[in-house]
């Protein structure tokens, strides 16, 4: 259930990805292409077989070498369809998110913690948050290895449960693991460390045959998508029908945020939320993939601390 009012986007079906002419205001516009581009399009067109209105790859020849037919692996329009393939993250090298204009992390006083013991069991504590907040404040840097191990145990178990039910599970372990303790410095911002790769749902969305990389709002998650890029590349190379798109990468400069948000009381923040105002501005398009909910050709997107009106547009 979405916490705040939502905006609806409508996506038209992608029935034609190659088009040489388009009728706009009753005028025909011809797209000029080089001879090489025309040859590429002819090759792609002859390699597609239309089955029930959906293009299906039947083998593309390149330099005389035949490429085997591939299945239509990327095709998801809802949140409730039959699950056949999924990416489950990992907690390797996880760090605490640092304070930034988009997030002032704080300890949940009522919360507890869990760690993995040497014998493989999980121990949990309750109401530890109040003591931690009082004694040490918000932690910095890399998380305790036992906490990382406990998180990975849960993620591995989720992957196993899915695999046992016939779902193909991909993991970021297949790629070179990024050291999230490395800081980031760009011409517009710097961050003392990064975060982790536990939540691919935040980073990447699948809409039909399109994989979309979200723009994101947090500086410590700027390069997080690279932990999944090899998986996306593999899908792109094997599924001829897949389209790979990325939202404009935001600068994450100070102008992208409203620093006064963090000076408000909780009551004042809730009042702002009902006015659809958060700690991010509409200076640049921002959205998390997790802000989206797919319902066939309709996509519902919530305005939040990680998605603004510019990102929805």
């Amino acid at each position: 259930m979405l916490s705040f009012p939502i905006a609806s986007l409508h996506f038209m079906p992608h029935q034609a990805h190659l088009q040489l002419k388009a009728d706009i205001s009753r005028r025909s516009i011809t797209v000029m292409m080089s001879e090489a581009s025309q040859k590429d399009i002819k090759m792609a067109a002859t390699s597609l077989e239309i089955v029930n209105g959906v293009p299906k790859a039947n083998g593309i020849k390149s330099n005389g070498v035949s490429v085997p037919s591939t299945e239509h692996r990327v095709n998801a329009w809802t949140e409730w369809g039959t699950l056949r393939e999924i990416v489950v993250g990992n907690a390797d090298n996880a760090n605490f998110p640092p304070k930034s204009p988009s997030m002032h992390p704080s300890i949940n006083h009522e919360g507890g913690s869990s760690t993995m013991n040497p014998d493989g069991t999980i121990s949990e504590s309750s109401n530890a948050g109040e003591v931690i907040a009082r004694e040490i404040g918000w932690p910095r840097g890399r998380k305790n290895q036992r906490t990382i191990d406990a998180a990975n145990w849960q993620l591995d178990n989720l992957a196993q449960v899915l695999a046992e039910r016939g779902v193909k599970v991909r993991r970021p372990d297949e790629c070179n693991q990024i050291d999230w303790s490395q800081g980031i410095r760009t011409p517009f911002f710097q961050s003392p460390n990064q975060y982790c790769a536990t939540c691919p749902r935040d980073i990447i969305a699948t809409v039909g045959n399109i994989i979309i990389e979200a723009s994101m709002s947090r500086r410590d998650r700027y390069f997080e998508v690279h932990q999944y890029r090899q998986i996306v590349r593999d899908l792109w190379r094997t599924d001829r029908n897949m389209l790979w798109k990325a939202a404009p990468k935001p600068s994450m400069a100070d102008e992208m945020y409203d620093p006064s948000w963090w000076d408000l009381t909780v009551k004042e923040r809730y009042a702002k939320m009902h006015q659809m105002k958060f700690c991010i501005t509409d200076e640049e398009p921002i959205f998390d993939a997790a802000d989206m909910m797919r319902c066939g050709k309709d996509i519902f997107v919530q305005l939040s601390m990680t998605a603004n009106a510019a990102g929805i547009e």
Side-chain angles (χ1 to χ4, degrees):
M1 174 109 25
L2 300 179
S3 302
F4 303 103
I6 51 181
S8 174
L9 299 182
H10 189 74
F11 276 67
M12 299 301 294
H14 300 273
Q15 296 177 345
H17 302 303
L18 300 175
Q19 186 171 331
L20 297 182
K21 291 185 178 181
D23 290 326
I24 301 178
S25 300
R26 298 184 179 179
R27 294 183 181 182
S28 179
I29 298 178
T30 302
V31 180
M32 303 303 296
M33 297 184 179
S34 65
E35 183 178 349
S37 297
Q38 294 177 26
K39 288 181 178 179
D40 289 341
I41 288 178
K42 288 180 180 179
M43 182 183 71
T46 56
S47 68
L48 295 177
E49 174 189 356
I50 305 300
V51 179
N52 295 328
V54 178
K56 179 180 179 182
N58 57 12
I60 293 178
K61 290 185 177 180
S62 177
N63 298 325
V65 179
S66 295
V67 178
S69 299
T70 59
E71 295 182 1
H72 191 48
R73 294 176 63 186
V74 180
N75 186 27
W77 290 98
T78 69
E79 308 291 342
W80 57 83
T82 301
L83 183 61
R84 296 184 175 87
E85 188 166 358
I86 193 172
V87 178
V88 176
N90 67 32
D92 293 354
N93 299 330
N95 279 245
F96 289 97
K99 181 180 178 180
S100 68
S102 62
M103 180 182 182
H104 284 197
S106 60
I107 297 170
N108 178 9
H109 285 200
E110 293 76 30
S113 63
S114 61
T115 58
M116 177 172 285
N117 301 316
D119 61 358
T121 60
I122 303 292
S123 62
E124 297 186 7
S125 61
S126 59
N127 298 322
E130 185 176 358
V131 177
I132 294 173
R134 183 178 66 248
E135 298 296 332
I136 64 175
W138 182 255
R140 297 180 181 180
R142 196 176 189 275
K143 294 191 175 184
N144 184 283
Q145 186 59 45
R146 289 196 298 172
T147 301
I148 293 174
D149 291 341
N152 273 330
W153 180 87
Q154 296 180 50
L155 290 165
D156 292 346
N157 186 64
L158 171 62
Q160 181 179 343
V161 169
L162 291 168
E164 289 173 349
R165 282 154 178 78
V167 178
K168 182 174 182 179
V169 180
R170 303 291 299 272
R171 307 295 301 276
D173 314 53
E174 303 171 26
C175 314
N176 292 329
Q177 184 65 47
I178 296 174
D179 180 6
W180 304 113
S181 64
Q182 296 182 87
I184 300 175
R185 186 181 183 90
T186 79
F188 307 104
F189 74 88
Q190 58 183 349
S191 177
N193 60 264
Q194 301 174 70
Y195 184 46
C196 61
T198 56
C199 301
R201 179 69 176 86
D202 292 349
I203 309 295
I204 297 173
T206 304
V207 180
N209 67 327
I210 306 172
I211 286 182
I212 304 174
E213 296 180 8
S215 56
M216 308 301 290
S217 64
R218 280 172 46 184
R219 292 171 172 176
D220 58 311
R221 305 186 74 178
Y222 193 81
F223 291 111
E224 193 172 325
V225 68
H226 289 273
Q227 192 62 61
Y228 306 100
R229 275 278 178 86
Q230 187 59 55
I231 296 174
V232 177
R233 277 197 294 268
D234 290 345
L235 290 168
W236 177 65
R237 288 177 177 134
T238 57
D239 187 342
R240 298 287 180 181
N241 298 308
M242 173 190 149
L243 298 179
W244 181 4
K245 298 179 180 291
K249 202 66 175 174
S251 68
M252 297 193 180
D254 291 342
E255 293 76 19
M256 219 178 79
Y257 309 96
D258 178 8
S260 67
W261 169 267
W262 302 107
D263 297 328
L264 302 175
T265 65
V266 173
K267 184 177 181 179
E268 289 172 333
R269 287 181 194 172
Y270 275 113
K272 286 279 190 179
M273 290 177 186
H274 287 291
Q275 298 171 16
M276 298 293 104
K277 295 181 180 179
F278 301 88
C279 60
I280 54 176
T281 67
D282 278 318
E283 183 69 20
E284 300 181 53
I286 305 170
F287 69 92
D288 274 16
D291 286 307
M292 303 165 55
M293 184 174 67
R294 302 162 302 175
C295 298
K297 298 173 186 176
D298 296 301
I299 296 181
F300 297 92
V301 187
Q302 69 171 353
L303 288 166
S304 68
M305 295 175 66
T306 55
N308 59 12
I312 292 175
E313 291 175 6

